[in-house]
Amino acid sequence: MAKITIGKAINAGLRRAMERDPKVVVMGEDIGKLGGVFRVTENLQKDFGEDRIIDTPLAESGIVGTAIGMALRGYRPVVEIQFDGFVYPAFSQITCQVAKMHARSLGKIRLPMVIRIPVGGGIGAVEHHSESNEAYFAHTAGLRVVACSNPEDAYWMIQQAVESDDPIIFYEPKRRYHEKGELDLTATAAPRPLFTATIARPGEQVTLASYGPMLKVCLQAAAAAAEEGKSVEVIDLRSLSPLDLDALATSVEKTGRLVVAHEASTFLGMGAEIAAAIQQRCFHHLESPVIRVGGYNLPYPPSRLEEEFLPDLDRVLDGVDRALAY
Amino acid sequence: MSDKEVAVPPEADHAAAVAALIAPVPEIIGGAEFVQLLTPEGERVEHPEYSRYIADLTDDDLRGFYRDQVLIRRFDAEATALQRQGELGLWASLLGQEAAQVGSARAMRSQDYAFPTYREHGVAWCRGVNPLNLLGMFRGVNHGGWDPNENNFHLYTVVIGAQTLHAVGYAMGIQHDHAVGTGDPDRDAAVIAYFGDGASAQGDVNESFVYAASTNAPVVFFCQNNQWAISQPVERQTRIPLYQRARGFGFPGVRVDGNDVLAVYAVTKAAMNAARSGQGPMLIEAYTYRMGAHTTSDDPTKYRISAEVEVWKLRDPIARLKAYLTSSRKADPAFFDAVEVEADELAVTIRDGCLSMPDPELMSMFDNIYVEDHPLIEAERAGFAAYTASFEGEH
Ligand SMILES: Cc1ncc(C[n+]2csc(CCOP(=O)(O)OP(=O)(O)O)c2C)c(N)n1
Ligand SMILES: [Mg+2]
């Protein structure tokens, strides 16, 4: 076991994926010598060469579009989008091409590509560097969407994503890149399948579902709630499309209450879909309405306001209390 | 600039790199099409096409160009220092690009409009934007703290290249207003769109070229080729000199010494005049250098050699103008001293102003999302107010 950061864990996972399969290439802005602005690809170009760690021109539609072409030619491109807010120039390529190619070709074409996006706020950045845009992509049939929240998942999920034959949007929790956790780099098999949720902290009275950078906040909220005698079960969704509704339903049938927390705005966010699906599936088990805790339905504000904008421990606890109050 | 910028490659590589860089006009600069009116040593040279555009500049104007550059450099240094001290979240330095910005901005008329990236502090200064307002977005108190229409200087655009299309659209509006080619110097207007060498790869920028050509819009594309897009050298974006791209889109392009304020002024003056008179778009490539890091978050030692920076120091835009003003006796030591004093004062004003810049009101994040009331925003505004009130008295 080693203590390793999320950023380094993704780096190690990419390294393993590239060692295993010579068809894996990484494409993006500033990923070579610089190692990416978050250093996630640090040293990879030195070790795998410029053919496989490809510094692209500054054009995101170009990165994704050419990655599609590489995939058509049999490669497995891993695309790095520098910041969440800069994926939009590639939106058409992702939603009209990446997502639909398999169906359009009646299943003859596969696009085994991964689009890595550092996601979310909390780093004091200027505009467009703090967005949570997972709902756009989860809403798009043909794309799978996953979000890691800790080093072990980061390490395994990136490898599993590379191995998947479907295109995957891979969200990395930007403000947690430097946080450390235990990781066994000698293990040879992933601890669990990619598209599954996990119980991050067991509990009895209310289920608190989250993912990505918000998961840590939820774990802290659950710990704080425990001090007040409230037992919260925290679910790390990990996969946003598909959703592991079985795991969620099992938890909700036990607790009878569900709070969904994410940084993204609540309106038509992941919480909205989860609330609808769970109330249909677990209606008779629910003791309270499903509660959503999320960013306000505003453009991401200037960074001096982001602490107020982002759901914090208090807002999550408030959601838990509202669920318990029914 | 990064304090660690000392990475030195093995001797031989180093020497070769320096030799390649030291050539005064490397082939890629473009020979005769490289417009220069002031050499790096401060010597006035003539250009058959462009000398005339600076003919009526007064000594006052020239001293003004010097003052602009010194003040904006000092402002920029102060902003970098404020970032280091935690007062700004980030700063994008213009160090090295003063002449490109001052020369081009001073060639504008008041009715012209500028669309900047995020590094055009020198253009903002010349347009009359309070420099303190430029700090707001980097301090995280707003997304752009000035009224664009007050000085015809649009807000900074962070999404690379997006503003070039806005510039063309604005120029199309000028056409529709019949404010181009009338011959009335107070009416005819043009737009200048700033972008970088990296941005030249973006779809938006290339579409803006297509639109400008298709509509013959009065727009000047001003590309500051500072050789780098974060860690990517310009060769990653283009195989031909950037100014030559224009030809393929159907309008003229010119490469100018971006560290020569006179040449930049002349070329921009010519291009803006042509645009205002109805001759359509033009691309200017200002050949310059990003002396500092990309932003305060960047570490250039990872990707470029310090020898390159050293070579570009010899082409400094301010030093060459000072040499010229001195040798031509257009300015005396008293003038230079006075500018220094003014720069010191500006730095103090900027520092004080930054430190006393108020944090935004919490409730302000719900403002200005829509022009008309939106029920969801109003509900969340009320909910947020009630929620924060519930903590009052606690601590
Ligand atoms: C669409 C988009 N993609 C990526 C970025 C991240 N980014 C910010 S600045 C930059 C490099 C810009 O280089 P250039 O256009 O040469 O301008 P310079 O910074 O040199 O002034 C990049 C990649 C961005 N802001 N917008
Ligand atoms: Mg550049």
Side-chain angles (χ1 to χ4, degrees):
Chain A
M1 287 292 219
K3 278 258 184 201
I4 186 171
T5 66
I6 291 183
K8 290 221 158 67
I10 299 169
N11 179 285
L14 280 172
R15 182 176 287 280
R16 276 193 64 172
M18 295 189 72
E19 283 163 357
R20 201 178 297 128
D21 183 351
K23 293 288 190 190
V24 176
V25 294
V26 184
M27 304 168 70
E29 294 159 5
D30 304 291
I31 64 171
K33 276 191 191 149
L34 187 63
V37 294
F38 294 107
R39 307 294 185 264
V40 171
T41 55
E42 188 143 53
N43 290 329
L44 293 182
Q45 191 177 64
K46 188 162 63 66
D47 297 341
F48 293 96
E50 294 182 12
D51 289 350
R52 295 187 68 195
I53 302 291
I54 303 169
D55 271 320
T56 65
L58 205 182
E60 290 77 10
S61 181
I63 302 174
V64 174
T66 55
I68 293 173
M70 294 283 282
L72 293 174
R73 183 68 191 181
Y75 286 86
R76 300 183 92 83
V78 178
V79 162
E80 173 172 309
I81 298 293
Q82 198 161 80
F83 281 89
D84 32 49
F86 306 138
V87 70
Y88 302 120
F91 200 74
S92 174
Q93 287 290 348
I94 296 175
T95 55
C96 301
Q97 306 302 333
V98 175
K100 295 178 176 171
M101 199 74 84
H102 189 62
R104 185 182 300 141
S105 70
L106 302 175
K108 293 204 168 51
I109 287 175
R110 293 178 183 180
L111 293 182
M113 49 193 283
V114 179
I115 300 175
R116 297 178 33 235
I117 308 179
V119 73
I123 62 161
V126 297
E127 209 182 353
H128 317 295
H129 292 71
S130 309
E131 313 266 303
S132 293
N133 42 27
E134 61 271 20
Y136 292 138
F137 299 115
H139 188 68
T140 303
L143 302 175
R144 293 173 187 265
V145 183
V146 301
C148 60
S149 70
N150 61 65
E152 185 186 53
D153 275 352
Y155 175 71
W156 286 110
M157 287 170 73
I158 189 66
Q159 294 179 61
Q160 292 169 308
V162 171
E163 277 167 16
S164 168
D165 277 344
D166 281 319
I168 296 188
I169 308 290
F170 188 91
Y171 280 111
E172 302 174 2
K174 189 189 301 153
R175 62 171 150 144
R176 312 278 180 222
Y177 268 136
H178 301 295
E179 295 190 3
K180 287 188 172 176
E182 294 287 340
L183 175 63
D184 180 2
L185 283 163
T186 62
T188 50
R192 55 192 75 85
L194 180 55
F195 305 107
T196 54
T198 57
I199 298 174
R201 175 188 171 111
E204 301 300 327
Q205 290 170 292
V206 53
T207 302
L208 175 57
S210 189
Y211 53 89
M214 269 300 288
L215 200 88
K216 180 173 175 184
V217 179
C218 290
L219 286 170
Q220 289 167 339
E227 283 174 22
E228 296 172 10
K230 300 165 198 161
S231 174
V232 178
E233 176 149 297
V234 180
I235 304 277
D236 185 350
L237 291 168
R238 301 186 345 124
S239 176
L240 307 181
S241 175
L243 273 170
D244 186 355
L245 286 175
D246 289 345
L248 254 187
T250 304
S251 176
V252 173
E253 282 165 15
K254 175 175 74 178
T255 63
R257 293 178 166 85
L258 175 61
V259 177
V260 188
H262 48 57
E263 288 188 19
S265 302
T266 51
F267 188 77
L268 291 173
M270 289 306 302
E273 172 60 31
I274 291 167
I278 288 298
Q279 67 87 12
Q280 277 180 29
R281 194 156 152 172
C282 306
F283 188 69
H284 295 290
H285 295 271
L286 283 172
E287 306 282 344
S288 85
V290 178
I291 305 285
R292 286 177 290 162
V293 179
Y296 296 104
N297 292 285
L298 309 172
Y300 199 89
S303 62
R304 296 244 165 179
L305 293 174
E306 70 181 340
E307 270 183 41
E308 308 297 328
F309 174 84
L310 290 173
D312 59 2
L313 187 133
D314 284 328
R315 289 234 304 268
V316 174
L317 281 178
D318 181 63
V320 167
D321 286 345
R322 277 189 285 146
L324 286 170
Y326 276 87
Chain B
M1 195 178 323
S2 164
D3 25 1
K4 292 185 287 181
E5 203 146 24
V6 287
V8 178
E11 287 309 70
D13 295 7
H14 184 74
V18 173
L21 287 161
I22 229 147
V25 182
E27 215 210 319
I28 193 172
I29 285 187
E33 285 175 78
F34 180 69
V35 181
Q36 189 180 68
L37 298 174
L38 205 53
T39 67
E41 294 72 34
E43 192 189 326
R44 263 291 274 115
V45 288
E46 299 303 332
H47 187 281
E49 170 85 9
Y50 288 104
S51 287
R52 59 196 157 111
Y53 290 95
I54 60 165
D56 53 4
L57 286 177
T58 63
D59 290 355
D60 249 1
D61 292 332
L62 298 181
R63 285 190 296 264
F65 289 172
Y66 177 84
R67 174 180 169 270
D68 285 338
Q69 293 188 71
V70 169
L71 293 189
I72 202 67
R73 179 174 287 186
R74 180 63 63 86
F75 161 76
D76 186 78
E78 198 59 29
T80 300
L82 284 163
Q83 194 283 336
R84 294 272 179 259
Q85 292 150 14
E87 295 297 335
L88 301 179
L90 184 81
W91 183 247
S93 167
L94 64 22
L95 188 64
Q97 300 176 219
E98 295 87 352
Q101 298 192 10
V102 168
S104 58
R106 287 294 175 206
M108 295 175 70
R109 294 200 187 135
S110 63
Q111 72 268 29
D112 296 333
Y113 214 106
F115 285 82
T117 72
Y118 41 80
R119 209 188 285 287
E120 272 68 70
H121 320 312
V123 180
W125 165 266
C126 294
R127 294 304 287 172
V129 177
N130 180 348
L132 202 50
N133 289 343
L134 302 173
L135 301 184
M137 68 180 258
F138 293 99
R139 190 170 163 87
V141 303
N142 57 41
H143 289 317
W146 60 93
D147 176 355
N149 291 326
E150 213 165 276
N151 304 97
N152 284 8
F153 182 79
H154 191 68
L155 295 174
Y156 280 171
T157 297
V158 173
V159 177
I160 297 295
Q163 77 284 359
T164 57
L165 281 165
H166 312 159
V168 174
Y170 195 94
M172 288 160 62
I174 290 174
Q175 278 179 312
H176 284 254
D177 287 343
H178 306 293
V180 59
T182 69
D184 176 352
D186 294 326
R187 177 170 175 82
D188 290 344
V191 179
I192 184 164
Y194 289 89
F195 62 102
D197 46 296
S200 72
Q202 277 288 5
D204 277 3
V205 173
N206 288 275
E207 290 181 27
S208 75
F209 289 177
V210 169
Y211 271 74
S214 170
T215 60
N216 202 42
V219 60
V220 172
F221 296 107
F222 193 91
C223 178
Q224 287 170 85
N225 176 0
N226 63 7
Q227 315 299 327
W228 292 94
I230 309 186
S231 74
Q232 299 301 295
V234 61
E235 294 76 30
R236 175 69 52 195
Q237 324 289 349
T238 186
R239 290 167 60 145
I240 56 160
L242 284 169
Y243 76 97
Q244 290 179 7
R245 289 236 180 119
R247 193 178 309 162
F249 286 91
F251 50 89
V254 62
R255 177 178 272 181
V256 61
D257 183 338
N259 289 9
D260 169 356
V261 72
L262 299 184
V264 173
Y265 175 86
V267 165
T268 315
K269 192 92 194 162
M272 294 294 274
N273 282 351
R276 277 189 226 101
S277 71
Q279 294 173 55
M282 179 153 170
L283 169 63
I284 297 171
E285 176 189 1
Y287 202 79
T288 180
Y289 195 74
R290 194 195 80 206
M291 295 298 289
H294 169 68
T295 64
T296 45
S297 300
D298 180 38
D299 174 10
T301 62
K302 295 245 178 211
Y303 55 80
R304 73 181 188 189
I305 58 170
S306 56
E308 186 178 293
V309 181
E310 292 307 315
V311 166
W312 277 91
K313 271 188 192 155
L314 303 174
R315 302 174 183 157
D316 183 67
I318 297 181
R320 79 171 73 176
L321 184 57
K322 186 173 188 180
Y324 172 63
L325 290 176
T326 305
S327 66
S328 62
R329 297 179 199 279
K330 292 180 192 299
D332 56 14
F335 166 75
F336 296 118
D337 291 347
V339 173
E340 284 311 310
V341 170
E342 206 186 341
D344 289 343
E345 287 165 3
L346 175 66
V348 172
T349 310
I350 291 301
R351 166 162 297 269
D352 292 349
C354 178
L355 298 184
S356 59
M357 204 180 278
D359 273 353
E361 294 289 330
L362 292 188
M363 295 306 292
S364 71
M365 66 177 157
F366 296 93
D367 295 343
N368 300 315
I369 314 301
Y370 297 94
V371 175
E372 293 167 27
D373 279 0
H374 184 296
L376 179 57
I377 303 280
E378 296 319 314
E380 292 203 334
R381 186 201 301 274
F384 179 75
Y387 175 74
T388 25
S390 73
F391 289 93
E392 250 148 51
E394 273 183 37
H395 257 298

